[in-house]
Amino acid sequence: MPTDEELGRIDAYWRAANYLSAGQIYLLANPLLREPLAPEHVKPRLLGHWGTDPGLNLVYVHLNRLIMARDLDAMLVTGPGHGAPAIIANTWLEGTFTELYPSVGRDEAGMTRLFRQFSFPGGMPSHVAAEVPGSIHEGGELGYALAHAHGAAFDNPDLLVACVIGDGEAETGPLAASWLSNAFLDPSRDGAVLPILHLNGYKIANPTVLARMPQDDLLAMLRGYGYQPYLVAGEEPARIHRELATTLDRALDEITEIQRRARRGAPVERPRWPVLVLRTPKGWTGPDEVDGERVAGTFRAHQVPLAEVRSDPGHLAQLERWLRSYRPEELFDATGAPVASLAGLAPRGDRRMSANPHTNGGVMLRDLVLPDVRDHAVPVERPGSPQGGATRTLGGWLRDVIAANPDRFRLFGPDEVDSNGLSAVFEATDRTFLGRTEPGDEHLSPGGRVMEVLSEHLCQGWLEGYLLTGRHGVFTSYEAFIHIVDSMVNQHAKWLKVTRGIPWRRPVASLNYLLSSHVWRQDHNGFSHQDPGFIDHVANKKAEIVRVYLPPDGNTLLCTMDHCLRSRHYVNVVVAGKQPAPNWLSIDQADLHCRRGLGIWDWASTDDGTEPDVVLGCAGDVPTLETLAAADLLRRHLPELRVRVVNVVDLMRLQPASVHPHGLTDHEFDTVFARDRPVIFAYHGYPSLIHRLTYRRANHADLHVRGYQEEGTTTTPFDMVMLNDLDRFHLVMDVIDRVPGLAVRAAHLRQAMTDARQECRDHTRRYGEDHPMVAEWRWSG
């Protein structure tokens, strides 16, 4: 427990951080109020959020005390992301900000720059963004703080992750689910997470639900989630400092004891981790009233309490009284640096939360030990044989990845790892689970490496926290439901984009999605499970960040995932099927094909090195199957037709090289797809994306794309492709319709294709399964 003198210095440090926070929102000049405040000292556009800053500053200084007293390895995740002024203030006070941004010195000139650059053109964002030292959590969107905190703690046994949760943030679905994360945190091998629920009562315009909940109900809710809650509440600083220090010491003692027992061999059960409920006024220490309306402790303190400082002399005078109430002359010396008594309260070096290496995960990153994909390859004696599920082929390889990397790789999925064909991983590990187990449960243990919970938000948040602190992972999901994390992948992609331009940020491992149970083989679940649009969503992001892969078989999936797990600082989306399907390429062919990203399949083509009459393009496993079946029909019925088959694994190869790093030059594109011949392209997703990617190409007007048309139901696999006109018969009809001079000459074949479609449709309606001509088809070229 700190002495009264120590608590006094803690209070001074808190006042300094509050002063710096308010200064960032308001001041352009006169940072230390060496002269009376004038309108020209104030920013013309007042942007920022004051309401949460005093609470964040309070938590920060008290965590610093714990770090100093206990030599803790600690980091802070702040859910109220618009509390950036507070976090930036603390990074400047402890010196990290100046180390990374030398122009912002710890003196009066540096303070001026610190204030000016906040929410100012060319300066720092208004939220806790990638530019802020010590941050792994993009504050532009609420709900993910606690999931990120747990992701950071997994496999970091010596790390304490303190996580401030705003009471507005606590109303979001992802945060509500995140309380369940304690059922997956293993005290014997993981670090600890200390949730701090900050109740300041209000959102931007409304009271918060948890702040208005009866206190007994709130504490009972947290106990029901398996936590031991501690409450610190009030608005008198001296008492709050003392109670908070005492409570944090008790919480850390409990965490230490939980870990000590688990690491000395006691049975690992779900612990009752401490959680702190901190109730302080919104906008604490700011203006009590403005223009006759109460501000402190209300929603009016959320953003800028005094909005007309430049134009209203009363507001200007009130701002000056507010800033001087912190007594800056006691906190900063003649040069503008923090006085020595404050500087001594901050940890040193890597022990500073703003300089903790885990918050710059690329510094901690170690390569994975990856097994040779050739040891897991499917022998392919001829194209189309044998049949097999691509993800089941991958499962054995991922099993060995997990076994070889027991401290830096995890597989994440919403209860779908087995369903998506990756059950082989359970030969090497279990599902992580610290809850009660019962007879009949399978593959559950505290030490499992597979993270399964029926929340895509949690899987995404855990994986992001895991990656951003220097580890590796894969997120596997049903394709249709990965959309649940659309906004989260937005934020992660933005983080990756911004950090590419920050010299002190080091690249982290890529965010890898494996999407299976995809649109074309969700025939048993029906329309609700049929949606390939995540690819479109990701393709909107910056070209230097996103990659989309559509491997057509098991061996190309092996090569693709090997590449993705070696890559850095990307969002990789891989779509592959789990159902039995043909294998087309040997592992050597697959490796070369994946390196090219796309290529002409000579064995499936009949152009014999001459100019083709038509190009059949395809991307995706089912479109590839239908394209090859169409090529087989054309070979048999129109043997004189010169057909070129082109398969695309790396979707971004379709874009021009000037648009995407993986893109083909126009010359390369024209060489493969021909410049003046019809291209019939069978695509896994929505056809419009292929047109978007290729609209600049010379032959775009003669590119005809078949794909998902938002037609689906519970039906057979082939009926599903027929519903969307992606079937082999329709592709042959497209060739007949598009190749000049062929329509009349091949009219009989076109009619036969129409009849074949009807025959297949009738067969499914009569027998409930696909026609043998489709189900039993094999490549015979």
Side-chain angles (χ1 to χ4, degrees), residues 51 57 79 106 116 149 187 265 271 274 325-326 359 466 546 575 615 716 730 755:
N57 287 327
R106 296 176 79 220
R116 181 184 181 90
S325 73
Y326 297 115
T359 66
Y466 200 63
V546 297
V575 184
V615 176
T716 66
H730 213 293
D755 293 345

Side-chain angles (χ1 to χ4, degrees), residues 464-479:
E464 287 180 358
Y466 200 63
L467 297 175
L468 291 170
T469 49
R471 279 74 61 74
H472 308 254
V474 172
F475 184 174
T476 181
S477 173
Y478 278 27
E479 182 185 43

